Amino acid sequence: NPDGTLGSSWHPKIKNGEIQLPIQEDETALPIHAFYDFYQKFKALEFVYDLYTPLVKKAGDFMASYIYEDLNLPMPSYDPWEEQRGVFTYTAACTYAGLIGAASLAEATASYGDAEKYTLAAERIKAAMLEHLYSKEHGRFFKKVIVKDGYVVEKDATIDASLSYIWRMGVLPADDERVVNTMKAIKENLWVDGPIGGLARYTGDYYQREFRSEDHPNIPGNPWIITTLWYAQWLTELAENEDDLKEIDQLLHWVADRANHSGILPEQIDPFDGKPLSVAPLTWSHAEYVLTMLSYNEKRQKILKRKK
């Protein structure tokens, strides 16, 4: 909870005999980032004043303190898929964005000391991400690192679609070479090469996986709606002309074709017959589709305007 008390969670508080904080820090960071985005669009200053002390400040203080003193990385939490615990590139990117948002909201309420604290914490995290979570050897970002006694003891180079959040959260621009290489690796390694297509979550994903797909090395996991849309959003960010929009248009139609007759989108898709798997409807799938359509239409209008 924003006040630091433990909320409900299915993550264990004790694992292998060790006490751990059973959280996903992205779930603290992303609401603050969303609040900041709302304020940027609507300048609802009264709303910011109402929620700054009970929500923003408490979340900001936590994010600014839950950082390794020497490494400057966020301390461990669970990944977006609620499966693994560690220091994830995805979570660090979300925390960076949450702190940047908290700093802006602090400035809006004249809480300048808080604004400086949150900005410095965000800068520390960004620098640490580029030092510890980027792999020069692979030319892309790691999925996660494991820290023990203040040192990085393990690096996980698994290709994960959530690495898209490096640019989505503003850590680096979409056209940065490190981002481009990461996104290309996602497309090349996670695209489900078969009759259905779409992007899997990460290499070797077995959640809801059909047994028959284990014999197909070209199927890294089931295709998900949100991961496919993250790639479409990146292409939209980079698009400069009408030709650049064609692949995005195809991906948007791919998603629309996955909806049932009432428009419901599932979480993931059977890689062989395209049937919905797991949760349906999944709000996350619908939200990412709306977000992608909005950014696509905005970019399309800009391109057409330039053409005239």
Side-chain angles (χ1 to χ4, degrees), residues 83 201-211 213-216 219-222 224 268:
E83 295 175 339
R201 293 191 299 176
Y202 55 84
T203 51
D205 181 11
Y206 280 89
Y207 177 57
Q208 296 283 340
R209 188 163 179 175
E210 296 288 325
F211 290 115
S213 70
E214 295 180 5
D215 297 327
H216 296 265
I219 299 179
N222 295 331
W224 280 53
Q268 51 186 298

Side-chain angles (χ1 to χ4, degrees), residues 6-15 18-22 78:
L6 286 180
S8 61
S9 175
W10 49 72
H11 299 308
K13 296 182 177 67
I14 299 176
K15 188 173 183 179
E18 294 184 5
I19 297 174
Q20 63 180 27
L21 195 59
Y78 279 85

